[in-house]
Amino acid sequence: MKHQAPLFALVLIASAIGQVFSSARAADPVYPRGIRVGITPLVGMAPAKAFVGFETSDQGVKVLMTELPAAAFAEVDNALKTNPAAMPVKPEGIETGAGRGYYTVENAKDPTGNVRRYSMIVAGPTFSGYVAVQVPENAMRIYTDEAVRQMFASVTVRKDVPVDEQMALLPFKVTEIGEFKNIRTLPPGGALLLADAADETKTEASPYIVVGTVSSAPEKAEDRVRFAQQAAGMIPGLRDGRITMSEPIRIDGAPGFETRIEAISGKDNTPVTVVQWLRFGGSGGNAMRIVASSPRDEWPKAFPRFRAVRDGIEPR
């Protein structure tokens, strides 16, 4: 009888390990809301509340998921083929639902103690999928290297995130999309991109609009000129920019500010006209920020579409 308790414990562990492996093989991949990377999470894991991915109920085991630029996978692939000795940790190849991928395994420490860290990258149509896993020492007997590897093998990607799913993540409602065909959240739940270009690497060559929020917006009207011009100066991807107009306006009855810029954008040095709208009066000192850009020769047709999107935005 003295061996009964240890034997019973071993049976429980074996059963748990079997459930972990079964979950990695049997279930369909799950896509966290807002991203194009999916995975079959291991048993005992549920969608995380504080990040995109999954975690155990005690928040000990974490699976973080995100999208990276398409070049990220190519860089790993090329480095492994041309100069693997220069890589700090040599990745292992793995076949996944998305095709060929690479993953690494490392031992590390965090404030809770020893942990096992895994990371994997796969190629998507116009992006790279990235998954990072952390397993604390007290969970390593269940969430083993092989279990994590099988979970990595379940990774898949989808071409697009359904529009309704993207919209539900935003802190505002968008009731008009201005006939834009390409709709993306950047990052999931942070801002909304509406674009004409299907190729994400050539967005600036066609009309597009980005809707988001900015914090620490000034309450006093006299401070908004400087704030608007500073925000306009931080619009990424513009060169040789020149502000042609910057003045207060009303947007849906709320105080706002409109700034227009003539600049050069993109690898093809496209002359563009850009408008930035700020709508003040949001909760917590936030302001709605809308940045829209169009090649200069398309501006007359693009501007009414931009304004329609702007006027169709409502707070939640």
Side-chain angles (χ1 to χ4, degrees):
M1 295 295 293
K2 64 180 180 180
H3 297 295
Q4 185 173 357
L7 179 60
F8 181 65
L10 290 173
V11 170
L12 287 178
I13 292 172
S15 176
I17 292 173
Q19 291 178 12
V20 167
F21 281 115
S22 296
S23 71
R25 290 193 300 264
D28 292 331
V30 178
Y31 290 91
R33 292 177 64 184
I35 69 170
R36 293 170 287 182
V37 185
I39 199 169
T40 302
L42 297 175
V43 68
M45 308 200 77
K49 297 179 180 179
F51 57 88
V52 178
F54 302 89
E55 62 186 354
T56 51
S57 59
D58 62 358
Q59 300 179 337
V61 181
K62 298 179 174 66
V63 178
L64 293 83
M65 304 171 65
T66 191
E67 296 176 14
L68 299 176
F73 178 83
E75 289 175 3
V76 174
D77 190 48
N78 291 335
L80 190 60
K81 292 176 180 177
T82 59
N83 192 15
M87 304 183 78
V89 180
K90 183 179 178 181
E92 298 289 335
I94 185 172
E95 291 300 323
T96 75
R100 185 70 169 173
Y102 297 105
Y103 74 99
T104 60
V105 184
E106 298 179 85
N107 292 317
K109 287 189 176 182
D110 73 359
T112 65
N114 295 326
V115 296
R116 192 87 159 146
R117 288 178 177 163
Y118 309 79
S119 62
M120 191 198 69
I121 191 167
V122 296
T126 57
F127 61 94
S128 298
Y130 180 78
V131 183
V133 180
Q134 179 167 297
V135 179
E137 189 172 27
N138 62 4
M140 291 180 188
R141 296 178 71 182
I142 303 299
Y143 297 94
T144 63
D145 288 354
E146 180 59 20
V148 174
R149 192 195 69 79
Q150 288 198 22
M151 181 174 64
F152 281 163
S154 75
V155 167
T156 186
V157 297
R158 54 183 175 177
K159 182 179 179 181
D160 298 299
V161 178
V163 173
D164 290 345
E165 181 180 323
Q166 296 186 56
M167 297 296 191
L169 297 172
L170 298 170
F172 45 82
K173 295 180 182 178
V174 179
T175 62
E176 171 60 54
I177 61 172
E179 299 181 356
F180 288 101
K181 302 297 188 296
N182 184 14
I183 302 173
R184 292 284 297 135
T185 49
L186 306 169
L192 179 70
L193 167 68
L194 305 174
D196 277 345
D199 187 342
E200 295 178 18
T201 65
K202 299 180 180 179
T203 298
E204 72 283 343
S206 301
Y208 72 89
I209 183 168
V210 177
V211 184
T213 59
V214 291
S215 58
S216 304
E219 295 182 3
K220 297 180 180 179
E222 57 267 28
D223 295 329
R224 291 171 180 166
V225 177
R226 176 180 53 82
F227 182 82
Q229 293 185 359
Q230 287 180 342
M234 293 187 291
I235 297 174
L238 300 183
R239 303 186 301 279
D240 302 326
R242 178 176 65 90
I243 293 178
T244 60
M245 186 264 276
S246 189
E247 62 185 29
I249 61 171
R250 304 292 292 185
I251 301 176
D252 195 25
F257 217 94
E258 178 175 326
T259 304
R260 296 194 192 184
I261 306 165
E262 301 283 328
I264 302 297
S265 179
K267 298 178 181 178
D268 297 330
N269 297 319
T270 304
V272 295
T273 300
V274 179
V275 61
Q276 173 188 264
W277 286 299
L278 296 172
R279 187 170 76 181
F280 300 99
S283 61
N286 292 333
M288 183 73 64
R289 186 190 188 206
I290 304 165
V291 176
S293 173
S294 170
R296 209 163 296 164
D297 58 357
E298 298 182 41
W299 177 257
K301 292 182 179 180
F303 183 72
R305 298 169 64 196
F306 296 154
R307 192 163 51 191
V309 173
R310 182 201 71 184
D311 294 343
I313 298 172
E314 302 174 359
R316 288 196 183 276

